[in-house]
Amino acid sequence: MTDVFSAGLLVYRRREAGVEVLLGHMGGPLWAKKDASAWSIPKGEFAAEEESARDAARREFTEELGLPAPEGEWAELGQVSYRSGAKRKILKVWTVEGDLDPADVVPGTFEMEWPPRSGQVAQFPEIDRADWFDLATAAEKLGKGQRPFLNRLAIELGGDLGRSE
């Protein structure tokens, strides 16, 4: 199994009802009709010998959402590894407080052969939409391998996920 390295940035905001996180719905025809486990922390692969994970997280956030990563104090949420197809993905994530408007997202794109075995290459958005979710809803939306970062965010925030003061 091949190891690939990925880095991401989990942006959160505080609302009267509690903490929300910004997630992106995976783009392309394979995810178009799925919702549960079809959302992701803005992230992407990088070559560890060429770029730091933190720099990759910032770059990938901008590539996926078309927006600069929020300024502010970044906190490291550690890493997880999980299977992604024939690869083992090693994902390192940071978090930062910010408040972005999902309507401002202009996603990057990728190409793939579609329909399968057609010989035709089509272009699709990396994410087809972004939105804010409370942590319980985010746990349903995120792929299983990324869910531990929600608990780590809660710990980082001191377990204070209720109403803002």
Side-chain angles (χ1 to χ4, degrees), residues 25-151:
H25 184 269
M26 292 182 264
L30 302 175
W31 299 100
K33 295 181 180 179
K34 297 178 181 171
D35 189 59
S37 299
W39 293 72
S40 178
I41 295 168
K43 62 173 181 41
E45 294 180 12
F46 71 100
E49 63 278 357
E50 297 174 14
E51 181 179 30
S52 76
R54 184 180 167 124
D55 288 345
R58 182 179 298 279
R59 175 183 51 75
E60 286 292 337
F61 185 91
T62 300
E63 284 180 13
E64 291 211 353
L65 301 179
L67 301 171
E71 295 301 324
E73 188 175 330
W74 285 30
E76 187 176 327
L77 296 179
Q79 72 180 34
V80 298
S81 63
Y82 57 93
R83 190 174 176 154
S84 179
K87 304 173 187 175
R88 181 174 73 143
K89 187 166 279 192
I90 300 168
L91 172 60
K92 191 168 192 175
V93 170
W94 283 263
T95 191
V96 65
E97 189 167 5
D99 194 4
L100 306 173
D101 185 347
D104 293 338
V105 169
V106 181
T109 59
F110 69 95
E111 292 183 344
M112 69 181 279
E113 182 181 15
W114 193 259
R117 297 177 292 286
S118 67
Q120 298 176 345
V121 176
Q123 193 172 63
F124 300 97
E126 292 210 29
I127 65 161
D128 55 24
R129 62 191 180 275
D131 211 342
W132 292 98
F133 299 100
D134 62 68
L135 295 181
T137 304
E140 297 169 6
K141 303 282 186 183
L142 272 178
K144 183 179 178 182
Q146 296 178 36
R147 291 178 191 156
F149 293 113
L150 298 174
N151 290 333

Side-chain angles (χ1 to χ4, degrees), residues 12-20 97 134-136 153-155 157-165:
Y12 70 92
R13 68 182 183 182
R14 298 172 196 265
R15 289 290 185 245
E16 196 170 310
V19 171
E20 296 178 332
E97 189 167 5
D134 62 68
L135 295 181
L153 173 63
I155 292 167
L157 297 177
D160 179 24
L161 302 178
R163 298 179 179 272
S164 57
E165 304 302 327

